[in-house]
Amino acid sequence: MNVLEVKEIKKSFGSKKVLDGVSFSVPDNCIFGFIGRNGAGKTTTMRAILGLLKTDGGEINVCGERARYGCTPKSGCIGYLPDVPEFYGYMNAHEYLKLCGEISGMGSSELKTRISELLELVGLDKEKHRIKGYSRGMKQRLGIAQAMINRPKLLICDEPTSALDPVGRKDILDIISAAKEQTSVVFSTHILSDVERICSCVAFLEGGKTAFSGSLEEIRAVRGNTALELTIVEPNDIERISSAFPDGRVNDGKFILPQASEKDCADLMAFLSAQMIPIARLERREADLEDLFMEVIGK
Ligand SMILES: Nc1ncnc2c1ncn2[C@@H]1O[C@H](COP(=O)(O)OP(=O)(O)O)[C@@H](O)[C@H]1O
Ligand SMILES: [Mg+2]
């Protein structure tokens, strides 16, 4: 079953069309990567799912129930970590979670167990300081605990790793992976390596539409071992290669030809040889999310 179904949602702000038919489904027990560059409409889509924003059309079902503006479907079905979570800085983590649990109507003994479970899950169980002294990463971790307090079936996290350093990002990704035992997770990001690390399904948002959605397995099966990655000795040669092979792109000093056929491979080698361009390495590798993303956004 799908815990979330988004069908053809549309949203304009004034004359600016931000969402123009966004559709995707999130299966149960899945970590879903919602990918798009800054300003693509990820937060707007999430706010629509949460019933915090009125759409201009389309349909959203959460846990089998239609989501409507102004009323979150089935109380407790969704947990939400906004992109910039706000807390009461004078409280400590335990006090804050207790307040959140009480607001959502949990009984005191259930709440006590749940708070210990969650503080352990997010690695704040030994933390006694007030929230105002927390790092960004600690606030994101507490935000995940808060969003999971009443055992939601779907946890929505808006760019939980974007403002963090590599260690902080890894902590959050590990927590989200562990949270999958309890809930499905949708998280938005523009960091593709985070998605490749923990997601089983993805959707790409571009130009107001979902350009692609499906499982990473599907992507790999369709695309296979098709990308060519070339490292050259002399960086100045890269321009000549790029202009001869306009379907390729340059990333980190390497030239990448996604979806390269055997003929493309032979053509590239013939070109390098004819132009006497010395190469350091030429590798055929599996197409990755970045290849797909660049194709989707037409770069
Ligand atoms: N309340 C609003 N009023 C006007 N424009 C908005 C509003 N919310 C978002 N937008 C615009 O919609 C676009 C998508 O924003 P957003 O959903 O925040 O993107 P993302 O989260 O992918 O970075 C942006 O161009 C943004 O300026
Ligand atoms: Mg956003």
Side-chain angles (χ1 to χ4, degrees):
M1 208 192 113
N2 292 325
V3 64
L4 171 65
E5 285 171 354
V6 174
K7 296 177 196 163
E8 286 293 316
I9 57 167
K10 297 186 169 40
K11 177 71 188 175
S12 297
F13 293 106
S15 59
K16 186 172 181 181
K17 203 179 261 185
V18 174
L19 306 180
D20 187 23
V22 171
S23 304
F24 60 92
S25 302
V26 178
D28 280 336
N29 300 108
C30 161
I31 303 181
F32 191 94
F34 191 40
I35 304 166
R37 49 184 160 176
N38 288 337
K42 302 181 294 296
T43 300
T44 305
T45 306
M46 289 179 155
R47 289 173 54 78
I49 294 167
L50 289 151
L52 299 173
L53 180 104
K54 198 170 187 335
T55 58
D56 304 330
E59 187 180 326
I60 298 168
N61 293 302
V62 185
C63 306
E65 203 176 282
R66 183 93 182 250
R68 286 178 202 286
Y69 172 57
C71 47
T72 326
K74 261 187 218 157
S75 136
C77 183
I78 309 189
Y80 176 45
L81 173 65
D83 46 358
V84 186
E86 301 275 352
F87 304 97
Y88 296 117
Y90 62 87
M91 291 184 170
N92 65 31
H94 190 282
E95 288 163 348
Y96 183 72
L97 292 181
K98 186 159 175 281
L99 174 72
C100 297
E102 282 168 359
I103 290 171
S104 51
M106 292 172 78
S108 63
S109 67
E110 186 199 2
L111 185 53
K112 200 167 167 220
T113 325
R114 187 62 179 153
I115 291 174
S116 332
E117 278 170 14
L118 286 172
L119 287 177
E120 199 182 328
L121 176 80
V122 301
L124 291 173
D125 45 334
K126 300 196 174 57
E127 182 57 56
K128 298 281 179 269
H129 290 101
R130 291 173 199 272
I131 300 167
K132 67 177 173 202
Y134 278 18
S135 66
R136 276 184 165 173
M138 288 163 82
K139 284 186 181 162
Q140 292 288 2
R141 286 190 271 148
L142 178 59
I144 293 177
Q146 170 264 310
M148 290 179 68
I149 192 94
N150 54 352
R151 303 179 194 278
K153 293 196 176 61
L154 175 64
L155 173 63
I156 294 191
C157 301
D158 195 356
E159 307 233 19
T161 60
S162 296
L164 305 181
D165 63 23
V167 176
R169 274 173 46 209
K170 182 178 183 305
D171 287 345
I172 296 292
L173 295 177
D174 288 348
I175 291 166
I176 291 177
S177 300
K180 183 182 168 243
E181 300 299 314
Q182 304 181 30
T183 176
S184 298
V185 186
V186 174
F187 81 95
S188 64
T189 187
H190 58 270
I191 306 170
L192 298 167
S193 55
D194 286 357
V195 174
E196 284 191 307
R197 250 148 94 173
I198 62 166
C199 294
S200 53
C201 297
V202 298
F204 286 96
L205 190 59
E206 174 66 18
K209 295 185 193 303
T210 12
F212 176 89
S213 77
S215 71
L216 286 188
E217 265 175 23
E218 273 165 28
I219 298 179
R220 296 205 171 99
V222 172
R223 300 171 57 81
N225 236 3
T226 57
L228 273 181
E229 189 169 296
L230 168 69
T231 314
I232 50 175
V233 176
E234 182 48 62
N236 292 337
D237 288 332
I238 209 125
E239 269 182 31
R240 266 192 290 160
I241 305 173
S242 292
S243 36
F245 294 87
D247 289 344
R249 69 188 157 86
V250 179
N251 184 15
D252 212 8
K254 294 175 182 158
F255 179 74
I256 294 158
L257 201 54
Q259 295 210 313
S261 64
E262 292 301 328
K263 180 170 181 313
D264 293 329
C265 186
D267 287 350
L268 179 62
M269 286 195 289
F271 177 81
L272 295 169
S273 158
Q275 299 279 319
M276 294 207 291
I277 297 174
I279 69 169
R281 187 185 164 101
L282 178 62
E283 183 191 5
R284 189 177 263 296
R285 64 155 171 78
E286 211 170 58
D288 62 17
L289 273 185
E290 186 156 350
D291 297 328
L292 182 61
F293 186 59
M294 290 300 171
E295 256 176 72
V296 160
I297 67 174
K299 287 215 169 145

